[in-house]
Amino acid sequence: STTGARETEPNDTILTADTITSGQSIKGQSSSYSDIDYYKVVMSSAGTLSLSWTGDSDSYDHDVAFVDASGNVLAEKELYSSGTLVNEVASAGSYYVRVEDSFDDDDYAFTVTSSSTTGARETEPNNTIATADTITSGQSIKGQSSSYSDIDYYKVVMSSAGTLSLSWTGDNAVSYTHL
Protein backbone atom coordinates (compact mmCIF):
# COMPACT_ATOMS: atom_id res chain seq x y z
CA SER A 1 0.00 0.00 0.00
CA THR A 2 1.03 3.63 -0.29
CA THR A 3 2.18 6.00 2.42
CA GLY A 4 0.40 9.25 1.73
CA ALA A 5 0.83 10.09 -1.91
CA ARG A 6 4.28 8.54 -2.43
CA GLU A 7 5.33 5.10 -3.59
CA THR A 8 6.77 2.68 -1.08
CA GLU A 9 9.67 0.39 -1.90
CA PRO A 10 9.89 -2.37 -2.72
CA ASN A 11 7.12 -2.19 -5.32
CA ASP A 12 9.05 -3.87 -8.11
CA THR A 13 6.67 -6.81 -8.71
CA ILE A 14 2.96 -7.28 -9.11
CA LEU A 15 2.92 -8.99 -5.69
CA THR A 16 4.51 -5.95 -3.99
CA ALA A 17 2.58 -3.29 -5.95
CA ASP A 18 1.40 -0.16 -4.15
CA THR A 19 -2.40 0.00 -4.10
CA ILE A 20 -3.78 3.28 -5.41
CA THR A 21 -7.28 4.73 -5.49
CA SER A 22 -9.04 6.18 -8.52
CA GLY A 23 -8.46 9.93 -8.64
CA GLN A 24 -5.54 9.85 -6.16
CA SER A 25 -2.25 11.35 -7.36
CA ILE A 26 0.85 9.32 -6.55
CA LYS A 27 4.52 10.27 -6.77
CA GLY A 28 7.35 7.89 -7.50
CA GLN A 29 10.96 7.78 -8.61
CA SER A 30 12.95 5.56 -10.94
CA SER A 31 16.15 5.10 -8.97
CA SER A 32 17.90 3.46 -11.94
CA TYR A 33 17.20 2.23 -15.46
CA SER A 34 16.44 -1.24 -14.07
CA ASP A 35 14.01 0.04 -11.39
CA ILE A 36 10.44 -1.12 -12.03
CA ASP A 37 7.51 0.30 -10.07
CA TYR A 38 4.07 -1.35 -9.92
CA TYR A 39 0.82 0.20 -8.73
CA LYS A 40 -2.41 -1.76 -8.25
CA VAL A 41 -5.85 -0.44 -9.27
CA VAL A 42 -8.94 -2.52 -8.43
CA MET A 43 -11.86 -2.33 -10.86
CA SER A 44 -15.26 -3.39 -9.49
CA SER A 45 -16.64 -3.85 -13.02
CA ALA A 46 -15.67 -3.59 -16.67
CA GLY A 47 -14.69 -0.06 -17.58
CA THR A 48 -12.01 2.40 -18.60
CA LEU A 49 -8.73 3.23 -16.86
CA SER A 50 -7.22 6.63 -17.68
CA LEU A 51 -3.74 7.68 -16.55
CA SER A 52 -2.60 11.31 -16.53
CA TRP A 53 1.21 11.59 -16.30
CA THR A 54 3.48 14.38 -15.10
CA GLY A 55 7.23 13.90 -15.32
CA ASP A 56 9.93 16.52 -15.06
CA SER A 57 11.97 15.72 -18.14
CA ASP A 58 11.59 16.40 -21.83
CA SER A 59 14.83 14.46 -22.40
CA TYR A 60 14.14 11.14 -20.69
CA ASP A 61 11.06 8.99 -21.00
CA HIS A 62 9.42 6.39 -18.81
CA ASP A 63 7.81 3.29 -20.28
CA VAL A 64 4.35 3.32 -18.69
CA ALA A 65 1.91 0.43 -19.13
CA PHE A 66 -1.34 -1.00 -17.89
CA VAL A 67 -0.85 -4.73 -17.29
CA ASP A 68 -3.13 -7.49 -16.03
CA ALA A 69 -2.50 -9.74 -13.03
CA SER A 70 -0.39 -12.07 -15.20
CA GLY A 71 1.80 -9.21 -16.40
CA ASN A 72 0.33 -9.10 -19.93
CA VAL A 73 0.60 -5.61 -21.41
CA LEU A 74 -2.83 -4.10 -22.08
CA ALA A 75 -1.64 -0.65 -23.20
CA GLU A 76 1.81 0.96 -23.17
CA LYS A 77 3.35 4.30 -24.04
CA GLU A 78 6.64 6.18 -23.65
CA LEU A 79 5.82 9.27 -21.57
CA TYR A 80 8.10 12.27 -21.05
CA SER A 81 7.07 15.42 -19.16
CA SER A 82 3.32 14.84 -19.64
CA GLY A 83 0.90 12.51 -21.35
CA THR A 84 -2.00 10.12 -21.04
CA LEU A 85 -2.59 6.41 -21.32
CA VAL A 86 -6.09 4.93 -21.64
CA ASN A 87 -7.25 1.32 -21.54
CA GLU A 88 -10.64 -0.38 -21.44
CA VAL A 89 -10.93 -3.58 -19.40
CA ALA A 90 -13.57 -6.23 -20.04
CA SER A 91 -14.09 -7.38 -16.46
CA ALA A 92 -13.71 -6.55 -12.80
CA GLY A 93 -10.36 -7.32 -11.22
CA SER A 94 -6.95 -6.03 -10.27
CA TYR A 95 -5.00 -4.15 -12.92
CA TYR A 96 -1.56 -2.60 -12.62
CA VAL A 97 0.39 0.43 -13.74
CA ARG A 98 4.00 -0.49 -14.55
CA VAL A 99 6.65 2.25 -14.76
CA GLU A 100 10.10 1.23 -16.05
CA ASP A 101 13.09 1.79 -18.32
CA SER A 102 14.07 5.35 -17.55
CA PHE A 103 17.38 7.11 -17.06
CA ASP A 104 15.46 9.94 -15.34
CA ASP A 105 15.91 9.55 -11.58
CA ASP A 106 13.80 12.58 -10.67
CA ASP A 107 10.25 12.30 -9.36
CA TYR A 108 7.28 11.51 -11.55
CA ALA A 109 3.60 11.73 -10.66
CA PHE A 110 0.41 10.32 -12.12
CA THR A 111 -3.27 9.96 -11.42
CA VAL A 112 -5.37 7.00 -12.52
CA THR A 113 -9.11 7.43 -12.80
CA SER A 114 -11.56 4.63 -13.46
CA SER A 115 -15.03 4.73 -14.94
CA SER A 116 -17.64 2.19 -15.96
CA THR A 117 -17.59 3.44 -19.57
CA THR A 118 -17.25 0.57 -22.05
CA GLY A 119 -17.49 0.07 -25.79
CA ALA A 120 -15.45 3.07 -26.92
CA ARG A 121 -12.04 1.36 -26.85
CA GLU A 122 -10.57 -2.02 -27.63
CA THR A 123 -10.19 -4.50 -24.79
CA GLU A 124 -7.05 -6.59 -24.40
CA PRO A 125 -6.37 -9.28 -25.07
CA ASN A 126 -7.91 -9.11 -28.52
CA ASN A 127 -4.94 -10.65 -30.29
CA THR A 128 -6.70 -13.70 -31.77
CA ILE A 129 -9.86 -14.29 -33.76
CA ALA A 130 -11.32 -16.03 -30.69
CA THR A 131 -10.74 -12.94 -28.50
CA ALA A 132 -11.72 -10.34 -31.14
CA ASP A 133 -13.67 -7.28 -29.96
CA THR A 134 -17.17 -7.29 -31.46
CA ILE A 135 -18.21 -4.00 -33.02
CA THR A 136 -21.51 -3.06 -34.64
CA SER A 137 -22.02 -1.38 -37.97
CA GLY A 138 -21.46 2.36 -37.66
CA GLN A 139 -19.65 2.05 -34.30
CA SER A 140 -16.44 3.98 -33.80
CA ILE A 141 -13.78 2.31 -31.65
CA LYS A 142 -10.31 3.37 -30.53
CA GLY A 143 -7.37 1.05 -30.16
CA GLN A 144 -3.65 1.13 -29.55
CA SER A 145 -0.75 -0.96 -30.80
CA SER A 146 1.30 -1.09 -27.63
CA SER A 147 4.25 -2.71 -29.38
CA TYR A 148 5.40 -3.88 -32.80
CA SER A 149 4.10 -7.39 -32.01
CA ASP A 150 0.65 -6.24 -30.77
CA ILE A 151 -2.08 -7.53 -33.08
CA ASP A 152 -5.69 -6.43 -32.63
CA TYR A 153 -8.72 -8.28 -34.01
CA TYR A 154 -12.23 -6.88 -34.40
CA LYS A 155 -15.36 -8.77 -35.41
CA VAL A 156 -18.43 -7.43 -37.24
CA VAL A 157 -21.46 -9.72 -37.44
CA MET A 158 -23.54 -9.13 -40.57
CA SER A 159 -27.12 -10.39 -40.88
CA SER A 160 -26.89 -10.77 -44.67
CA ALA A 161 -24.48 -10.47 -47.57
CA GLY A 162 -23.40 -6.93 -48.38
CA THR A 163 -20.56 -4.47 -48.54
CA LEU A 164 -18.43 -3.70 -45.53
CA SER A 165 -16.63 -0.34 -45.47
CA LEU A 166 -13.92 0.73 -43.06
CA SER A 167 -12.94 4.29 -42.21
CA TRP A 168 -9.49 4.50 -40.60
CA THR A 169 -7.84 7.33 -38.68
CA GLY A 170 -4.33 6.96 -37.27
CA ASP A 171 -2.34 9.43 -35.19
CA ASN A 172 1.20 8.70 -36.32
CA ALA A 173 2.42 9.39 -39.85
CA VAL A 174 5.50 7.19 -39.36
CA SER A 175 3.67 3.96 -38.51
CA TYR A 176 2.74 1.05 -40.71
CA THR A 177 -0.63 -0.61 -40.24
CA HIS A 178 -1.81 -3.79 -41.94
CA LEU A 179 -5.56 -4.09 -42.38
Side-chain angles (χ1 to χ4, degrees):
S1 67
T2 57
T3 303
R6 182 134 193 105
E7 72 167 319
T8 57
E9 292 287 356
N11 65 336
D12 55 348
T13 69
I14 286 174
L15 294 175
T16 59
D18 287 327
T19 300
I20 57 176
T21 305
S22 176
Q24 173 190 4
S25 178
I26 184 86
K27 287 185 179 182
Q29 179 189 36
S30 296
S31 61
S32 70
Y33 186 78
S34 61
D35 184 21
I36 302 172
D37 296 328
Y38 282 92
Y39 303 88
K40 179 180 177 180
V41 180
V42 179
M43 294 287 288
S44 59
S45 66
T48 301
L49 291 166
S50 300
L51 180 142
S52 177
W53 177 267
T54 305
D56 64 354
S57 176
D58 289 328
S59 302
Y60 297 110
D61 70 311
H62 289 81
D63 289 344
V64 181
F66 284 118
V67 300
D68 65 16
S70 298
N72 298 309
V73 174
L74 306 176
E76 184 171 24
K77 216 180 227 185
E78 291 179 351
L79 298 176
Y80 290 82
S81 59
S82 65
T84 59
L85 181 64
V86 181
N87 185 68
E88 189 171 306
V89 295
S91 62
S94 295
Y95 296 91
Y96 301 84
V97 175
R98 183 187 70 202
V99 179
E100 67 177 347
D101 293 345
S102 181
F103 288 107
D104 183 5
D105 60 4
D106 291 328
D107 284 356
Y108 59 80
F110 66 88
T111 302
V112 172
T113 54
S114 60
S115 73
S116 59
T117 303
T118 60
R121 298 193 64 83
E122 68 166 323
T123 54
E124 293 286 358
N126 64 337
N127 56 344
T128 67
I129 290 173
T131 59
D133 284 324
T134 301
I135 56 177
T136 58
S137 179
Q139 177 185 0
S140 177
I141 191 162
K142 291 182 180 182
Q144 178 198 20
S145 296
S146 61
S147 70
Y148 181 75
S149 62
D150 184 17
I151 299 171
D152 296 323
Y153 283 87
Y154 301 91
K155 174 174 57 174
V156 177
V157 178
M158 297 184 63
S159 59
S160 63
T163 302
L164 187 62
S165 298
L166 172 70
S167 175
W168 177 267
T169 304
D171 66 355
N172 189 345
V174 187
S175 67
Y176 300 95
T177 304
H178 301 279
L179 300 174

